[in-house]
Amino acid sequence: MRKLYRGLILFTILAFVVFAAITGYADKSDPDVDIIIKKNIEAAGGLDTIKSLKNISFEMATPPPYGYTQSVYHVASPNLLKLESGAIPAVDEVFVYDGTEFKENHYYVTPELAEERKVELKCFTKLISGAFTMMNFKDNLKFKETKKYGPEIHHVLTAKMGDCNVNFHIGADDFLLKRVIFDLSDKEKGLYQKTYDLAGFEEVDGLKLPMMMYTCDIGAGASARGSEISIRNLKINQDLPKNFFRDTKLNYGSVTTEKGHLEGNLILTLWIGSREYRHITTNFKEEDIKKSELKSNDKIKLEVGDKSYDALFLSSASEMNEELRKSGNVVFAKHSRAPVYIILMHGQKFESVENLETLTKIKIDKIEKQK
Amino acid sequence: MSIINRRNFFAGIGTGILGLSIGKHASASPAGIPSVEGGAAISAEPRIKKYVTLGNTGLKVSDLIFGSTSFFSPNVAEYAYDLGVTCFDTAENYMGGKAEEYFGKALKGKRDKVVIITKHFGRRSPGQKLTGKMLIEKVDASLKSLKTDYLDVVFFHRLETFDEIKDTDLLPTYEQLKKEGKIRFTGFSTHHAPVTLKECFDPKYKDFVQVVMFMYNHMEGKKIEPNIKKLHEKGIGTIAMKTMAGGKQGNLKSFVDDKVSYPQVAISWVLGNPDVDCAVLSMRSFSHAEEYIGASGRRMKRDDIAMLKRYRRDVNNEYCRVSCNECESSCPRGVAISDIMRYEMYFADYGHEKEAMDEYALLDKKRKPISCAGCSGYCTTACPFGLKVKDRLINTHEMLSA
């Protein structure tokens, strides 16, 4: 009988332990979204510091050798963005977003922005104005899961933006934003993901901000292999002109053209030391060249600032040959990857050419053959 | 459920109950789960499903190898390890030397559970004399960066022909390093498989050729399959690289549905060859690791074949099969066409701009397409796939020189 009692007691204890374990496990609910957001805001510098952010600007650049073109983000509120791109300070593309619509100006053309790009820009406007925190997404976020990436553990919060789900990964140890993943769908590409990994957090004016991003597309998309982007020249609370966020003007200047004559500006200049030549990007485009009626192998007089050169015009840079690469030759030709024309100056003497600031005046005159 | 989670849903079932399976190697305990109202389920991820033995080396490795030409954080490698990857491939020059250091950090405390492959001499100038002394210095530098006292496999990087090493003291030095216990196995990686996979069977290279890494994918490689088979039969480890045939899916349309992506199909095709032990893939981010590992142990399906056909159709006249080399013998000036086309691929498809330009700068000036503009284009005529080789060489020269 005693044995039976003992058995019953043991069974009851065991049953209680199992029940407690099961109910205890079930009680372990998802992390509280509000607590994650609160800790995320604190980790980035705190609510007061973030609220004191009136505007923020920074350059996003890919590493050399193509680091000479950048995108500059200017954000003043969750709904106010200006994105300038080009060889800064020369700007050849501007986007503005005022919370309702986007305007774009690319070489004075206004193409329609893809829906997924709009979602991306809207999302980043909210993120940046909230110092890369969840501050501006509060009401829209749901807990999705906890994910482990090697030694990193992330809380994943998700928000619906347009037709797209955006997933925000918050580090479970430091509560900083580590990843942003867009689940996208495109009629032609099908389903794909655009991912941003954020790293290199540094403290700037009391805010902890990422200085590096790695972006790639998974599935379809344009950058399946991905690229590393550095964030630099970060400026906070600048005095910006009144209409700054509405203004889509490009600053590389206009071109004047007539038969055998062109006038425009220098957008970018680089000295390629290992190959001993200077590379100058101009703002002349195909239609300008057409108007000037220049033809391949025309001899031209080229003025860059206060310097003058005898040069050769080529309709494409691929027409270059060894002879033309010899020291001292100057060539004006179409860029192989951009809709603009370039000047190539071969030889050591061009390393220290002066007055080649961005937007320096360039004049081109065809040298007529002597009869 | 996200695209990736949907894609890997079945992989998740195979590896454990949601929330309970963190990973075979994962060191994370419940203590590692966040403190915020703890206890949330950790999401299930794809896992390595197949482990193979690398030739006769006895090294047991995952069928997918973590490639390190570019990855943004050591944590990506550690994540891949958690998902079951046990083989990590690098080279002294990847990411300017940073890749070996990242592995040193990521694989700390796991050394006896992983296989490390590294490579040397990938960046050599034309005519440069290669010596055993250089090799010893390079191996010592790799050991230091990788924070280990032995290397499992050491490759001569990018071997073009055995003529490059046959008259040097490199081969006896590799053997000496094996005796000293600094390296365990040797071999080579190559983009010139039609040449090197023939030469490597010479008995004098028997001790050196233990593992080989070569370019192999669904668009090229048929030609070298008999030699891959021969390698396999002789017990030489076989690793395929450049498995995605340029990875041009980014520019194409509808290459993914919610179950399978083009890279997964391309990997499955490569591993479908029983003579290929494993495939190396550049896992640049957490997402790449998940996507590629989702292909481990996977078999080709009918829809996959259709997808590959579509890919081949779309990029047929665009993708240069750089190991094909039909064009190079037709060039009267000896331009290094296949190397230049490979650099173009690094630049345009892989996004390795700097690496491509640096490699191109090292190329012998005489082998650059400097005076191709005036040529009638023998290379274009010779290309069996109809690529406009001459125009591409001229444009690539511009791109990589500018």
Side-chain angles (χ1 to χ4, degrees), chain A residues 58-63 124 132 152 177-180 195-202 204 208-215 226-234, chain B residues 70-76 95 98 102 284-286:
Chain A
F58 55 80
E59 283 178 21
M60 279 172 64
T62 47
F124 271 97
F132 289 92
E152 294 180 35
L177 179 67
K178 296 295 168 67
R179 309 191 77 196
V180 183
T195 73
Y196 289 88
D197 287 278
L198 283 67
F201 283 84
E202 282 178 22
V204 184
K208 215 156 185 193
L209 302 167
M211 293 295 145
M212 203 272 265
M213 280 194 206
Y214 181 86
T215 179
S227 56
E228 200 175 294
I229 299 162
S230 57
I231 292 176
R232 58 191 195 198
N233 290 337
L234 197 134
Chain B
S70 168
F71 59 121
F72 91 95
S73 152
N75 293 347
V76 179
M95 295 164 67
K98 221 161 68 174
Y102 273 18
R284 294 171 158 214
S285 71
F286 298 128

Side-chain angles (χ1 to χ4, degrees), chain B residues 89-221:
Chain B
D89 170 70
T90 186
E92 59 174 346
N93 58 314
Y94 285 171
M95 295 164 67
K98 221 161 68 174
E100 285 191 343
E101 287 171 18
Y102 273 18
F103 276 178
K105 199 175 166 199
L107 303 176
K108 199 179 166 191
K110 307 170 180 76
R111 184 63 188 94
D112 58 335
K113 296 181 189 75
V114 297
V115 165
I116 297 177
I117 301 172
T118 194
K119 316 181 200 78
H120 304 112
F121 299 109
R123 222 162 253 180
R124 46 195 188 272
S125 317
Q128 187 188 356
K129 195 175 178 324
L130 310 176
T131 66
K133 187 172 171 276
M134 287 159 78
L135 173 64
I136 293 168
E137 285 168 5
K138 284 171 183 292
V139 166
D140 285 341
S142 291
L143 290 170
K144 198 176 163 198
S145 300
L146 286 157
K147 293 190 173 61
T148 180
D149 48 13
Y150 67 96
L151 302 167
D152 295 289
V153 183
V154 172
F155 281 149
F156 184 91
H157 200 179
R158 296 172 182 161
L159 185 72
E160 290 182 24
T161 160
F162 274 75
D163 291 348
E164 292 184 287
I165 56 171
K166 70 176 183 190
D167 296 325
T168 68
D169 60 346
L170 287 178
L171 296 179
T173 309
Y174 278 117
E175 294 313 305
Q176 178 199 321
L177 288 164
K178 281 182 199 168
K179 279 183 195 143
E180 288 171 11
K182 286 185 177 176
I183 60 181
R184 297 177 69 192
F185 301 99
T186 50
F188 62 94
S189 69
T190 185
H191 294 109
H192 296 262
V195 176
T196 53
L197 295 198
K198 272 185 197 157
E199 294 176 340
C200 74
F201 297 111
D202 187 320
K204 61 178 176 251
Y205 305 126
K206 192 171 166 277
D207 293 336
F208 171 66
V209 184
Q210 294 172 300
V211 186
V212 177
M213 185 184 281
F214 46 83
M215 191 165 173
Y216 180 65
N217 60 55
H218 67 96
M219 287 194 73
E220 59 184 312

Side-chain angles (χ1 to χ4, degrees), chain A residues 180-221:
Chain A
V180 183
I181 301 178
F182 296 86
D183 288 345
L184 298 158
S185 174
D186 179 278
K187 224 186 277 173
E188 291 176 333
K189 291 175 192 160
L191 296 164
Y192 69 104
Q193 282 186 332
K194 192 161 193 70
T195 73
Y196 289 88
D197 287 278
L198 283 67
F201 283 84
E202 282 178 22
E203 200 167 312
V204 184
D205 290 357
L207 296 168
K208 215 156 185 193
L209 302 167
M211 293 295 145
M212 203 272 265
M213 280 194 206
Y214 181 86
T215 179
C216 68
D217 295 352
I218 299 294

Side-chain angles (χ1 to χ4, degrees), chain A residues 31 65 145-148 150-153 155 175 179 188 191-193 214 218 221 224-226 275 277 318 322 325, chain B residues 3-4 28 32 34 36 40 42-43 45 75 79 82 250 254 256 284 287-288 290 349-350 357 361 370 394 401-402:
Chain A
E145 61 185 341
T146 298
K147 274 198 76 151
K148 185 180 178 297
E152 294 180 35
I153 293 175
H155 295 307
F175 286 89
R179 309 191 77 196
E188 291 176 333
L191 296 164
Y192 69 104
Q193 282 186 332
Y214 181 86
I218 299 294
R225 298 280 181 177
R275 286 126 200 156
Y277 75 86
S318 63
E322 206 160 6
R325 276 176 223 281
Chain B
I3 300 163
I4 293 300
V36 184
I42 301 262
S43 66
E45 301 305 345
N75 293 347
Y79 182 46
D82 285 350
S254 304
V256 66
R284 294 171 158 214
S287 300
H288 282 140
E290 287 176 353
D349 299 331
Y350 290 17
M357 293 177 91
I370 290 166
I394 292 169
S401 306

Side-chain angles (χ1 to χ4, degrees), chain B residues 287-298:
Chain B
S287 300
H288 282 140
E290 287 176 353
E291 183 179 32
Y292 302 159
I293 290 168
S296 172
R298 185 181 176 277

Side-chain angles (χ1 to χ4, degrees), chain B residues 223-280:
Chain B
K223 204 166 140 186
I224 59 165
E225 276 177 0
N227 280 330
I228 299 174
K229 191 174 177 60
K230 202 169 162 189
L231 287 172
H232 188 66
E233 284 167 356
K234 285 186 176 291
I236 296 164
T238 51
I239 303 173
M241 63 171 167
K242 310 272 187 301
T243 53
M244 289 178 210
K248 290 174 182 287
Q249 78 279 8
N251 300 323
L252 301 170
K253 294 168 186 172
S254 304
F255 264 72
V256 66
D257 62 20
D258 58 354
K259 291 191 194 78
V260 65
S261 70
Y262 165 73
Q264 291 175 326
V265 173
I267 296 165
S268 304
W269 186 92
V270 166
L271 294 178
N273 181 341
D275 297 318
V276 174
D277 291 332
C278 36
V280 60

